[in-house]
Amino acid sequence: MTDVRKPQARPARPFFSSGPCAKPPVWSPDKLATESLGRSHRAKIGKTRLAYCIDLMREMLQLPDTHRIGIVPGSDTGAFEMAMWTMLGQRPVTTLAWESFGEGWVTDAAKQLKLDPTVIRADYGELPDLTQVDWSNDVLFTWNGTTSGVRVPDGDWIAADRAGLSFADATSAVFAYDLPWDKIDVATFSWQKVLGGEGGHGVLILGPRAVERLENYTPAWPLPKVFRLVSKGTLAEGVFKGETINTPSMLAVEDAIFALEWAKSLGGLDGLKARSDANAAALDKIVADRDWLSHLAADPASRSKTSVCLSVAGADEAFIKTFAGLLEAEGAAYDIAGYRDAPPGLRIWCGATVDTADIEALGPWLDWAYASLNA
Ligand SMILES: Cc1ncc(COP(=O)(O)O)c(C=O)c1O
């Protein structure tokens, strides 16, 4: 018999959304530095803070000097589309899709840019056959599919001698995994995921071969100002030093700096990864102990450690909605229903800003919601 009594203890911070994700545990708005607010972002203070944010990101990501990193408009989508619009079209394109966001890049490549890409797909919960990728093509993929909880296990499948460029949408992957930067020509992310920062800005990382493409290739289509990274055939280097294309939110920048300093206090990337790994392991234990819960991503090697997607035996969309609603009303878990395009299920963020004790405290609440709905 399942126990329908309400658990005594709630997660202290019931924030399990997969984006925007939980703030760092020590965060509060009055701890943000505000000297750069109400000032020109091109004043010394603004430029200094933007450059500091970039330096901290480089350090926390362990990004080598070969790669540039800059802050751009439009969150992760803006950064990824900026890369697509400025660099694609020179050679054939392959796009990989195994969930909603990868599918979005397929739509961009096929319907908007009309590039007739080769599309390699897999169903929700699975990874496509990565050995099929032809690296003479430019290749677009999502490192961690946030809506299915499936990620590429590593970069071994990316050819070291590729002629095409690799474009990684890495928004739910950075700060949670070791990324092989020598295999990545373009990567993008937004602060709103593993850092628990704000949306609005994207981060664009360019390897040397991407810069070479930008400087030597002009796409056939027009580029809006917010996508322009090249001026008179030369990379706009200022973007990678904090001279943003247009006006940034300095509040979002200060918030990102706070999260990055927190990350640094944990020991940087290793500290962040350790938290995410511990969270994913705690959730895995909850799943293993319950016959009505299972991972959507069957293969542990390609299972996400950030956006963990779970199937609930017998649940349809309405069941999940009620289940998640019950937990939200109790203040036990916010935003844990799966993504709207994914098979009905739960999605529980395990990135570094979530505390492991809160994942552990969630287990009895999942039991309670399941038992209440089946009572
Ligand atoms: C893999 C992936 N790509 C892109 C996006 C879009 O991100 P943003 O809303 O920051 O543009 C998301 C958001 O959840 C995502 O998970």
Side-chain angles (χ1 to χ4, degrees), residues 18 74-78 101 105 142 144 146 169 171-172 190 192-193:
S18 292
S75 225
D76 179 59
T77 309
F101 286 104
W105 310 138
T142 303
N144 182 103
T146 319
D169 169 0
T171 198
S172 294
S190 161
Q192 54 129 336
K193 298 284 185 191

Side-chain angles (χ1 to χ4, degrees), residues 10 23 26 53 163 167 209 213 216 245 268 276 319 324:
R10 286 174 172 70
K23 291 291 189 191
V26 293
C53 183
F167 291 70
R209 299 179 58 244
R213 172 75 60 86
N216 293 294
I245 298 174
S276 189
F319 183 99

Side-chain angles (χ1 to χ4, degrees), residues 185-331:
D185 299 307
V186 177
T188 65
F189 70 92
S190 161
W191 298 322
Q192 54 129 336
K193 298 284 185 191
V194 184
L195 289 178
E198 292 299 298
H201 289 295
V203 177
L204 177 67
I205 294 174
L206 299 178
R209 299 179 58 244
V211 174
E212 206 244 314
R213 172 75 60 86
L214 282 167
E215 294 190 329
N216 293 294
Y217 162 72
T218 306
W221 42 79
L223 289 177
K225 179 176 171 179
V226 288
F227 279 5
R228 272 178 246 156
L229 286 169
V230 171
S231 168
K232 298 188 188 115
T234 312
L235 186 74
E237 292 283 2
V239 172
F240 305 94
K241 296 182 190 136
E243 292 157 27
T244 49
I245 298 174
N246 64 333
T247 312
S249 159
M250 290 309 295
L251 191 53
V253 171
E254 291 297 351
D255 184 75
I257 288 174
F258 181 91
L260 288 158
E261 287 181 337
W262 168 74
K264 190 166 177 168
S265 76
L266 298 174
L269 182 60
D270 289 343
L272 294 170
K273 276 191 316 181
R275 285 179 61 91
S276 189
D277 288 353
N279 288 340
L283 187 54
D284 204 25
K285 180 163 187 330
I286 290 174
V287 175
D289 290 347
R290 286 155 181 81
D291 58 5
W292 54 273
L293 264 185
S294 57
H295 284 284
L296 181 58
D299 179 4
S302 55
R303 189 179 293 153
S304 174
K305 296 193 179 208
T306 57
S307 60
V308 181
C309 295
L310 305 178
S311 303
V312 176
D316 59 10
E317 212 178 314
F319 183 99
I320 293 294
K321 199 172 168 209
T322 315
F323 187 105
L326 270 180
L327 291 175
E328 171 153 357
E330 285 294 334

Side-chain angles (χ1 to χ4, degrees), residues 32-307:
L32 302 184
T34 52
E35 296 80 13
S36 68
L37 307 191
R39 299 282 315 268
S40 165
H41 60 294
R42 312 230 184 251
K44 190 168 173 225
I45 173 89
K47 279 213 262 196
T48 306
R49 296 301 279 174
L50 284 156
Y52 177 52
C53 183
I54 287 175
D55 290 347
L56 278 174
M57 288 194 287
R58 177 179 291 285
E59 190 183 343
M60 294 312 110
L61 290 169
Q62 299 181 358
L63 189 69
D65 290 344
T66 46
H67 285 57
R68 290 168 174 80
I69 174 165
I71 298 166
V72 299
S75 225
D76 179 59
T77 309
F80 203 76
E81 292 191 329
M82 175 185 259
M84 291 182 74
W85 260 253
T86 53
M87 283 176 256
L88 293 182
Q90 193 191 49
R91 54 174 59 239
V93 176
T94 292
T95 52
L96 302 175
W98 58 90
E99 51 81 64
S100 179
F101 286 104
E103 210 48 69
W105 310 138
V106 173
T107 303
D108 272 1
K111 300 219 167 112
Q112 297 296 324
L113 294 173
K114 304 195 180 355
L115 292 168
D116 194 18
T118 301
V119 184
I120 306 178
R121 287 195 168 88
D123 281 340
Y124 275 84
E126 283 162 30
L127 200 58
D129 180 2
L130 301 174
T131 64
Q132 280 183 18
V133 174
D134 172 357
W135 284 102
S136 70
N137 285 205
D138 289 332
V139 180
L140 311 178
F141 68 100
T142 303
W143 199 282
N144 182 103
T146 319
T147 66
S148 73
V150 173
R151 62 166 170 131
V152 295
D154 50 42
D156 293 356
W157 58 286
I158 302 173
D161 61 351
R162 63 197 174 281
L165 299 178
S166 60
F167 291 70
D169 169 0
T171 198
S172 294
V174 281
F175 306 112
Y177 312 128
D178 286 314
L179 297 188
W181 292 110
D182 59 325
K183 297 284 185 79
I184 297 175
D185 299 307
V186 177
T188 65
F189 70 92
S190 161
W191 298 322
Q192 54 129 336
K193 298 284 185 191
V194 184
L195 289 178
E198 292 299 298
H201 289 295
V203 177
L204 177 67
I205 294 174
L206 299 178
R209 299 179 58 244
V211 174
E212 206 244 314
R213 172 75 60 86
L214 282 167
E215 294 190 329
N216 293 294
Y217 162 72
T218 306
W221 42 79
L223 289 177
K225 179 176 171 179
V226 288
F227 279 5
R228 272 178 246 156
L229 286 169
V230 171
S231 168
K232 298 188 188 115
T234 312
L235 186 74
E237 292 283 2
V239 172
F240 305 94
K241 296 182 190 136
E243 292 157 27
T244 49
I245 298 174
N246 64 333
T247 312
S249 159
M250 290 309 295
L251 191 53
V253 171
E254 291 297 351
D255 184 75
I257 288 174
F258 181 91
L260 288 158
E261 287 181 337
W262 168 74
K264 190 166 177 168
S265 76
L266 298 174
L269 182 60
D270 289 343
L272 294 170
K273 276 191 316 181
R275 285 179 61 91
S276 189
D277 288 353
N279 288 340
L283 187 54
D284 204 25
K285 180 163 187 330
I286 290 174
V287 175
D289 290 347
R290 286 155 181 81
D291 58 5
W292 54 273
L293 264 185
S294 57
H295 284 284
L296 181 58
D299 179 4
S302 55
R303 189 179 293 153
S304 174
K305 296 193 179 208
T306 57
S307 60

